[in-house]
Amino acid sequence: MEYSFKLHNGSGCLCRKGCGRQDKQLNTYDWLADVPGNEKESDLVEVQFKNTRKGYFKNSYNLTLNKGDIVAVEATPGHDIGVVTLTGGLVPLQIKKTNLKPDTEFKRIYRIAKPIDLEKYEEAKAREHKTMIRSRQIAKDLNLEMKIGDVEFQGDGNKAIFYYIAEGRVDFRQLIKVLAEEFHVRIEMKQIGARQEAGRIGGIGPCGRELCCATWMTSFVSVSTSAARLQDISPNPQKLAGQCAKLKCCMNYEVNCYVEAQKQLPSREITLETKDGEFYYFKADILANLITYSTDKSIPANLVTITGKRAFEIISLNKKGIKPDSLEENGSEQNDRSSNDLVEQESLTRFDKSKKKKKKNRSQEPKEKKNEEGKQQQQTEPKDNVQQQPNQQEAPEQQKGEKQREGEPRRNNERRRHNPRNGNRPGNRDRRNNPPQPQQQPQGE
C-alpha cells in the first residue's frame, strides 16, 4: 500500500520514497522519487558516510537501490560502508553544486551490504574513540601544535582518517609513522576548521536551539566584525563568539536587512542645528527608523529621539540657513516609544523580583494579623474595664502628690526608686533627709 504526505498549501503531496532519515545537514529530499523512470535518468548515486562526508559512486552493476539502503562501495584500499541518500536525475545537479569536475572518475558500488560487512564495520567503529585518545597523547609527546578532533575508520578497518585542527601549517610526517606503527592501518590526515569541529560535536546555542552548524549548515562563510558594526552590536567578544571561539555565523543572517534600512537614515557625522543649539548623533534604532541626538558629543545630555524623515527635513532646512525651533515636529514633547525587542523589554531577572515581593508580603502578614486581633479585642472589651483605666492612672498620681507634700523633690524620689543600693524597702525613702536613729524603728513599719 502506497502512502503519501499531503501538503497543506494544496500544491500536491510528497512521496514517501523521497523522505529519509533526518541526518542533520546531510539530509536531502528526492523530489523526483515518484516520477516514472527517474532511476534510469542517471547511473550515479549519492552515498553518505560518517559525520559530514559524502561521495558519489557509479552503479555499474545496475543494482536496484532506494534511499536508505546500506551499500558497500569501492575504496583505496578495500571497501567502505555507506548509506544511499539520493538516486536518479537529481544526482548530477548535486555534483554540479559541489563544483566537481566533469572529468572526475567515479568509483563503483560493489553490492548491498551483507551481515558480515556490517559486523566488520561495527568492530572498526568501536575502535574510533580509543584511537582518538591515544593519537592525542602521541601528538602531545611530539610537541605538535594541533588538536585531533575525530577519527573515522573505513568500513573494512584497513584505513583511518584523522581530523585535526591547527592554526598554522604542521609537519606531521613523524606523526604518521608513529600512528601507522601503533594502529597498523593506513593513515590519512584531514584538516578542518573550528566551525566544522563544533558541527561535529554539536551543542545548544545561546538562543536555546541546536547549533546551526550541527543541523543544516553545509558551507561556512567567514564572519567579519563589520557585520556587528552594521547592526550596532556592542563589540563584546564574549557575546559575539560562539562555542567554536569564532564569530557567530548567525551574525550574517540579517546584515543585508540592516544595510537596506540604514540607507533611510542620515549620516552619523551630520549635526542638526536648531534655535536651542546643536545636536549630535548619539544612537539609532535602525529597523524602527529612529535616531537619538544629544547636545553633547561624548555625554548623553538632553536626549531627543526623532524619525529619519524628520532628520532629513532638518538637514534640508539647515542647508537653506533656516533653524527650526526644536527637533520634534510642531514643537511637541517626545512621546515614550516602547521597543518591540523582547530582550530590551524584559530582563532575565524579572521573575526574581516577584519572588522577593511575595516573601515581603508573607513577612508582613503576621504583623497585620496581630494588629487586627488587637483592634478586635479592644472593640470586644466591656465598658467597665474602660472606666476603670482612668482610676488606675489616678492612683499613682495621688501617691506622687502625697510624696511632694512631704517636702521631697520629685527628681530625688525617682533616683531613689531606681538606685539598686537603696532596695525596695519603704524605709529607705527618707534616709537621706531624715537619717534613722539607732533606737527608733523605721517609719515604714
Side-chain angles (χ1 to χ4, degrees):
M1 184 177 179
E2 293 290 337
Y3 293 94
S4 61
F5 302 93
K6 295 182 179 180
L7 299 178
H8 296 286
N9 56 7
S11 60
C13 59
L14 299 176
C15 178
R16 66 180 183 88
K17 293 182 180 180
C19 301
R21 187 182 60 183
Q22 182 67 26
D23 293 317
K24 298 183 179 180
Q25 65 267 46
L26 298 181
N27 184 62
T28 54
Y29 178 76
D30 190 359
W31 297 95
L32 304 177
D34 56 346
V35 177
N38 178 44
E39 298 177 357
K40 299 180 182 179
E41 290 292 330
S42 176
D43 58 349
L44 297 176
V45 179
E46 184 185 65
V47 181
Q48 171 190 326
F49 301 96
K50 183 187 173 184
N51 297 326
T52 58
R53 187 166 64 94
K54 275 187 177 183
Y56 299 93
F57 299 87
K58 195 171 184 179
N59 187 8
S60 58
Y61 297 107
N62 296 324
L63 300 174
T64 303
L65 300 175
N66 296 319
K67 188 171 184 177
D69 292 341
I70 302 175
V71 294
V73 299
E74 182 182 359
T76 52
H79 68 273
D80 202 353
I81 303 297
V83 181
V84 176
T85 55
L86 195 62
T87 59
L90 291 181
V91 178
L93 298 177
Q94 289 288 95
I95 294 172
K96 186 177 179 181
K97 184 180 177 181
T98 54
N99 297 324
L100 289 177
K101 296 180 181 181
D103 300 335
T104 304
E105 294 183 1
F106 297 98
K107 297 178 181 179
R108 297 174 298 171
I109 295 177
Y110 287 146
R111 60 187 178 274
I112 294 176
K114 298 179 181 179
I116 299 174
D117 298 331
L118 296 178
E119 289 179 3
K120 291 182 179 179
Y121 176 68
E122 293 296 333
E123 291 177 0
K125 197 174 179 180
R127 298 166 52 192
E128 292 176 353
H129 184 68
K130 296 180 180 179
T131 304
M132 181 184 65
I133 295 174
R134 177 57 183 160
S135 61
R136 287 180 178 178
Q137 296 176 354
I138 295 171
K140 186 178 179 181
D141 296 338
L142 296 175
N143 297 324
L144 296 177
E145 295 181 358
M146 59 183 296
K147 177 186 176 183
I148 298 176
D150 194 7
V151 178
E152 179 183 356
F153 271 91
Q154 198 170 267
D156 55 0
N158 295 328
K159 180 181 175 181
I161 303 173
F162 291 81
Y163 298 93
Y164 71 95
I165 304 169
E167 295 181 357
R169 300 184 66 178
V170 180
D171 186 7
F172 46 76
R173 289 176 293 181
Q174 183 64 26
L175 177 64
I176 292 175
K177 293 179 182 179
V178 177
L179 294 177
E181 294 175 358
E182 181 76 18
F183 304 112
H184 304 285
V185 293
R186 186 173 180 178
I187 306 297
E188 180 181 351
M189 305 296 295
K190 186 175 289 188
Q191 186 174 3
I192 60 175
R195 301 180 190 276
Q196 293 176 340
E197 184 196 18
R200 291 173 179 274
I201 297 172
I204 304 298
C207 58
R209 303 186 65 180
E210 194 174 356
L211 297 178
C212 297
C213 56
T215 52
W216 60 271
M217 291 185 67
T218 55
S219 60
F220 300 95
V221 183
S222 61
V223 184
S224 61
T225 55
S226 61
R229 186 174 64 256
L230 291 172
Q231 300 178 55
D232 281 344
I233 302 175
S234 60
N236 188 353
Q238 295 180 353
K239 294 183 178 180
L240 297 182
Q243 296 185 7
C244 58
K246 302 290 183 180
L247 294 177
K248 294 179 181 178
C249 298
C250 56
M251 291 174 59
N252 283 341
Y253 298 165
E254 300 178 354
V255 172
N256 296 331
C257 181
Y258 275 87
V259 171
E260 293 295 329
Q262 202 165 15
K263 293 179 181 179
Q264 302 177 2
L265 298 177
S267 176
R268 302 182 179 185
E269 299 177 356
I270 298 176
T271 59
L272 305 183
E273 297 180 359
T274 62
K275 293 181 181 180
D276 298 336
E278 294 183 352
F279 287 85
Y280 303 92
Y281 174 89
F282 180 68
K283 66 177 182 179
D285 190 347
I286 299 174
L287 299 181
N289 196 17
L290 296 176
I291 312 175
T292 302
Y293 287 93
S294 173
T295 55
D296 197 305
K297 289 184 178 180
S298 58
I299 301 173
N302 303 322
L303 298 178
V304 179
T305 303
I306 59 175
T307 61
K309 182 180 179 181
R310 177 60 179 170
F312 281 115
E313 291 177 358
I314 297 174
I315 291 170
S316 61
L317 292 174
N318 292 336
K319 290 181 179 179
K320 297 177 183 179
I322 302 173
K323 295 182 179 180
D325 296 336
S326 61
L327 292 182
E328 296 91 349
E329 297 179 0
N330 300 327
S332 60
E333 295 182 356
Q334 179 185 359
N335 296 326
D336 295 334
R337 303 177 187 270
S338 60
S339 175
N340 293 327
D341 191 358
L342 297 177
V343 178
E344 294 181 3
Q345 284 182 358
E346 305 291 348
S347 71
L348 297 175
T349 58
R350 62 185 183 276
F351 298 109
D352 299 339
K353 296 179 182 178
S354 60
K355 291 181 181 179
K356 292 180 181 179
K357 290 181 180 179
K358 289 181 181 178
K359 290 181 180 180
K360 290 182 181 179
N361 294 333
R362 290 177 181 175
S363 62
Q364 291 176 0
E365 284 180 359
K367 294 181 181 179
E368 294 177 355
K369 289 182 180 179
K370 289 180 181 179
N371 296 332
E372 291 178 358
E373 291 176 358
K375 290 180 182 179
Q376 291 177 359
Q377 289 178 0
Q378 290 179 2
Q379 291 177 0
T380 55
E381 284 180 354
K383 294 181 179 180
D384 297 338
N385 295 336
V386 176
Q387 293 178 358
Q388 290 177 2
Q389 289 179 359
N391 296 331
Q392 292 175 0
Q393 293 177 359
E394 290 176 358
E397 291 179 356
Q398 292 177 359
Q399 292 177 1
K400 291 179 183 179
E402 292 175 359
K403 291 176 184 178
Q404 290 178 358
R405 290 173 188 173
E406 292 177 1
E408 292 183 9
R410 185 176 180 180
R411 295 180 180 176
N412 293 335
N413 292 336
E414 291 178 358
R415 290 177 182 175
R416 289 168 188 163
R417 289 175 191 170
H418 297 289
N419 192 354
R421 295 180 181 178
N422 295 335
N424 295 326
R425 291 179 298 176
N428 293 335
R429 297 177 182 175
D430 301 331
R431 281 183 181 179
R432 185 172 293 180
N433 295 332
N434 298 321
Q437 296 180 2
Q439 296 180 357
Q440 295 179 357
Q441 293 182 355
Q443 296 179 2
E445 298 178 357

